[in-house]
Amino acid sequence: MDGMVPRQPSPNGVAGSTPMRTDDIGAAPVIRARSLSKHYGEVQAVKDVSFTVNTGDVYGFLGPNGSGKSTTIAMMLGLVQPTSGQIDLFGLGPARRSEGLMSVGAIIESPTFYPYLSGRDNMRVLARTRDGVTDARISEVLEIIGLSDSGSKRYGNYSLGMKQRLGIGSTLLHDPDLLVLDEPTNGLDPAGMLEVRHLIQRLADGGKTIFISSHLLNEVEQVCNRVAILSKGKIMAEGSTSDISRKGQAVRVRVDEPVRAKDVLNKLDGISSIDERDGYLTISVPASRTPELNVALVQAGIAVYELGPAGNSLEHVFLEITGASEEQRADAHLVE
């Protein structure tokens, strides 16, 4: 799909229309999915998914590639019809979806623009698809996304992070209340990821409700206040980032014989998983059991070099829930 903006109808607003404001609808959730499912023949891409996004949330929709995130977003934007269930925007059901979409800005996959035009001129081309978007508004958006000084530069000369920020800016022209960003940092280098993350934080501070689909834990943990973890089309966990992180209690240990240590620890009660990476074992137990683990290893004649709470418990929950492959684990662990 063209990541710039679908033309008619458009998830980023309908040409000639005025965006509806969230305060016109009262206290209704910005997004509410209820028992949402989607089948493609015998393949069930989304299975009985329910979640709620409230005004002001930066909501992370987290899951490995192929977990159903993009299909859910397509149903949210009316691009795909659900097999069962429904998803409401601003309290409006499917029959009034076009009204809700007037206050949505969405970017799907990588944004595309004319490489020989400047960033500002690309925005002017896009503004022609909508009434009421002035040059002043384009300048305002370029300021918001941090491209005021680069607006006259050719898009083809932009860095990857600048291109992605311009893509997000294209969704802001009509000043939507809700932004839907599908993998906004996918394919970016660490510097580009940081640029986009800072932009998302500024937009959230400015009052936007933001829905971010991603498979990158670092991105979600740093910018989102609430998160849902999706695996094989089903939501496995949902709640505040801090609450879900607390579910991921784990202990990390570095020993001289990791293979034998795993055998020793697996014989203890309540050990559901042991993950080995970067020379450490991460054991899914509360930190209060650290002395017990230490005693078991020492009694087995295994030298313990380090032992303590695991640092990234959201990551542990994600890997535990999704049963991610080694390749997916490496992707999920990306940091700046």
Side-chain angles (χ1 to χ4, degrees):
M1 180 185 300
D2 181 353
M4 194 168 173
V5 181
R7 293 295 189 255
Q8 296 287 343
S10 167
N12 295 332
V14 179
S17 64
T18 302
M20 173 187 58
R21 313 313 302 177
T22 51
D23 53 12
D24 294 335
I25 316 166
V30 176
I31 306 171
R32 174 176 284 167
R34 293 178 284 184
S35 302
L36 196 65
S37 296
K38 179 61 182 179
H39 298 253
Y40 294 99
E42 296 183 358
V43 176
Q44 191 168 7
V46 176
K47 306 174 185 178
D48 196 30
V49 162
S50 298
F51 62 89
T52 300
V53 179
N54 296 310
T55 301
D57 278 343
V58 182
Y59 191 95
F61 208 49
L62 182 63
N65 291 328
S67 60
K69 303 188 303 295
S70 293
T71 300
T72 302
I73 287 177
M75 289 188 284
M76 183 189 309
L77 300 178
L79 304 174
V80 170
Q81 293 301 313
T83 303
S84 60
Q86 73 177 56
I87 189 162
D88 301 340
L89 297 175
F90 306 104
L92 304 176
R96 299 179 62 188
R97 184 176 306 280
S98 60
E99 296 178 52
L101 289 175
M102 292 177 189
S103 286
V104 178
I107 182 169
I108 310 297
E109 298 180 0
S110 299
T112 54
F113 295 93
Y114 295 110
Y116 51 86
L117 292 181
S118 68
R120 182 181 296 275
D121 283 342
N122 267 294
M123 296 285 264
R124 284 171 173 157
V125 171
L126 192 57
R128 293 173 186 169
T129 66
R130 307 185 184 91
D131 290 342
V133 178
T134 63
D135 264 4
R137 176 57 183 169
I138 291 173
S139 294
E140 183 181 1
V141 169
L142 289 173
E143 177 70 28
I144 290 170
I145 62 177
L147 292 178
S148 289
D149 295 337
S150 304
S152 60
K153 293 182 180 179
R154 289 177 55 181
Y155 175 80
N157 294 330
Y158 278 10
S159 68
L160 291 175
M162 292 167 68
K163 289 177 178 179
Q164 193 69 359
R165 280 187 283 148
L166 190 70
I168 294 174
S170 73
T171 73
L172 297 173
L173 289 173
H174 65 298
D175 194 20
D177 292 302
L178 168 66
L179 296 182
V180 178
L181 307 178
D182 188 15
E183 301 283 1
T185 61
N186 200 27
L188 298 184
D189 59 17
M193 293 172 67
L194 185 61
E195 291 176 22
V196 171
R197 189 184 306 133
H198 285 171
L199 172 57
I200 290 171
Q201 290 170 334
R202 289 198 303 273
L203 292 171
D205 291 342
K208 300 296 184 188
T209 300
I210 305 176
F211 182 96
I212 301 174
S213 166
S214 181
H215 67 284
L216 300 178
L217 285 158
N218 192 54
E219 171 187 325
V220 168
E221 189 165 31
Q222 292 198 46
V223 301
C224 297
N225 68 304
R226 296 182 60 231
V227 64
I229 298 178
L230 201 69
S231 179
K232 299 178 182 178
K234 298 178 67 176
I235 288 184
M236 310 301 292
E238 187 197 14
S240 72
T241 307
S242 58
D243 285 346
I244 290 183
S245 292
R246 281 193 288 270
K247 296 178 183 178
Q249 296 185 80
V251 172
R252 193 170 75 156
V253 61
R254 186 166 68 89
V255 296
D256 63 340
E257 298 180 75
V259 174
R260 196 158 70 87
K262 288 174 72 172
D263 290 338
V264 170
L265 296 174
N266 273 321
K267 293 176 183 178
L268 301 178
D269 292 335
I271 304 293
S272 60
S273 72
I274 301 177
D275 176 47
E276 182 176 358
R277 187 176 63 221
D278 300 331
Y280 288 87
L281 300 178
T282 301
I283 306 102
S284 58
V285 294
S288 60
R289 293 189 62 185
T290 299
E292 176 189 351
L293 303 184
N294 187 50
V295 168
L297 292 169
V298 171
Q299 288 181 344
I302 297 170
V304 179
Y305 302 130
E306 294 181 43
L307 180 62
N312 191 344
S313 51
L314 178 61
E315 177 180 341
H316 186 72
V317 174
F318 174 78
L319 299 178
E320 178 80 9
I321 286 175
T322 63
S325 68
E326 289 301 319
E327 181 178 356
Q328 289 168 332
R329 287 168 184 250
D331 285 344
H333 195 57
L334 285 175
V335 295
E336 293 175 26

